[in-house]
Amino acid sequence: QVQLVESGGGLVQPGGSLRLSCATSANIFKIYTMAWYRQAPGRQRELVASITNSGTTLYAGSVKGRFTISRDNAKNTVSLQMDSLKPEDTAVYYCNARRISFTTTNYWGQGTQVTVSS
């Protein structure tokens, strides 16, 4: 069974920082693009950041310059360092693993809550 296990969510004040981590298996991690999505109440799920197995990154415009996605190939984890957090960053954050072959295969974590509030 494929598992994506997120950790690191919580409550933080505006301007603060959090680091999210997502652990998975080596078989998934070594060939899949890893990403973080988020979904706020009443809103669509949106891509926050992604990183390919070669290290190419992509960020949503709303988080560019504040968030950093990275891969730890030894631990099979992907992390999202979130700095200068704003209340509008409040959402459930989901780890995603995707591979496009003849068809697209997706795996999702359970999600972790991030709340930015004073």
Side-chain angles (χ1 to χ4, degrees), residues 49-109:
S50 65
I51 183 167
T52 68
N53 59 355
S54 63
T56 301
T57 59
L58 177 69
Y59 296 92
S62 59
V63 307
K64 188 176 182 180
R66 299 188 296 120
F67 292 10
T68 303
I69 190 170
S70 61
R71 302 172 70 109
D72 187 330
N73 294 327
K75 297 181 178 180
N76 300 318
T77 61
V78 60
S79 297
L80 185 68
Q81 178 66 41
M82 304 184 293
D83 298 321
S84 302
L85 282 161
K86 304 175 180 179
E88 50 263 45
D89 295 318
T90 296
V92 177
Y93 284 69
Y94 297 91
C95 183
N96 168 262
R98 174 180 293 170
R99 182 172 68 91
I100 299 176
S101 184
F102 296 102
T103 60
T104 299
T105 302
N106 275 290
Y107 297 103
W108 293 90

Side-chain angles (χ1 to χ4, degrees), residues 3-44:
Q3 286 188 310
L4 301 178
V5 182
E6 302 107 329
S7 63
L11 174 65
V12 66
Q13 294 191 175
S17 298
L18 284 174
R19 186 177 180 87
L20 306 182
S21 294
C22 173
T24 188
S25 68
N27 288 339
I28 294 296
F29 189 82
K30 68 181 181 181
I31 63 173
Y32 278 58
T33 293
M34 305 298 297
W36 288 96
Y37 287 74
R38 67 186 181 188
Q39 187 167 25
R43 301 188 183 278
Q44 292 184 322

